[in-house]
Amino acid sequence: IYSLEKKQLPITVITKKDDSSSIINQMAFRKNKGMKKLVVNEKNIVLKVFDNGVIDADTVSVFYNGNLILSHQRLSEKPIILPIILDEKTTLHEITLFAENLGSIPPNTALIVVIAGDKRYELFASASLTENAVITFEYKPK
């Protein structure tokens, strides 16, 4: 599984159905901008999502392969921890960062730390009200 420097439980966010459909409708009008493609050998990965740079009230929703997994969360210096089990039937997996706002310093920026087994990656994502940030994982089991 994974180890964390500080023991923290993952955040579980419950969204209302109408809230979820509203975000999905808004996504249809935004371009997806590929930020990074990572090859991972582990199906269990952990995303730690932080505000990047100045903490300026950036708020995001996160999608995994088109499914909303986190809704309306404010980014800060403390990570939002998202454990994800990659679907073994699929080779390519997408994490989409949807900007709910631009914070006080546009654009909406995030530092995403990816932990896949004993590997650690730091990715910088930038999203706006017209573009989503997309990270693609290619799953290649050992």
Side-chain angles (χ1 to χ4, degrees):
I1 303 200
Y2 62 91
S3 64
L4 302 173
E5 298 81 34
K6 295 180 182 176
K7 295 279 184 186
Q8 294 180 337
L9 296 175
I11 293 176
T12 303
V13 177
I14 299 171
T15 59
K16 299 177 193 166
K17 251 188 181 179
D18 58 336
D19 179 49
S20 172
S21 63
S22 169
I23 293 170
I24 291 167
N25 289 338
Q26 290 176 50
M27 279 203 43
F29 294 101
R30 295 189 186 182
K31 291 181 182 179
N32 285 335
K33 179 173 66 171
M35 304 302 291
K36 185 74 175 173
K37 181 177 179 181
L38 294 176
V39 176
V40 295
N41 304 112
E42 302 288 333
K43 71 176 185 175
N44 294 309
I45 63 171
V46 176
L47 303 179
K48 295 181 181 181
V49 186
F50 302 83
D51 201 335
N52 186 41
V54 177
I55 309 304
D56 65 339
D58 287 334
T59 303
V60 299
S61 290
V62 178
F63 290 79
Y64 168 59
N65 287 347
N67 296 306
L68 184 65
I69 60 171
L70 185 75
S71 176
H72 301 299
Q73 290 297 298
R74 179 174 277 183
L75 301 178
S76 72
E77 73 284 351
K78 294 181 182 174
I80 297 170
I81 300 173
L82 297 169
I84 296 174
I85 300 171
L86 299 178
D87 180 357
E88 294 181 87
K89 297 174 191 160
T90 305
T91 304
L92 294 178
H93 305 267
E94 286 188 346
I95 298 294
T96 305
L97 190 72
F98 176 89
E100 298 288 345
N101 67 13
L102 299 179
S104 61
I105 306 170
N108 187 314
T109 56
L111 165 63
I112 302 171
V113 175
V114 178
I115 300 169
D118 60 354
K119 295 193 170 135
R120 183 179 187 276
Y121 307 92
E122 288 188 7
L123 308 173
F124 298 94
S126 175
S128 69
L129 300 179
T130 59
E131 287 185 328
N132 299 314
V134 178
I135 300 168
T136 303
F137 294 98
E138 183 176 355
Y139 176 55
K140 290 186 174 181
K142 291 181 182 181

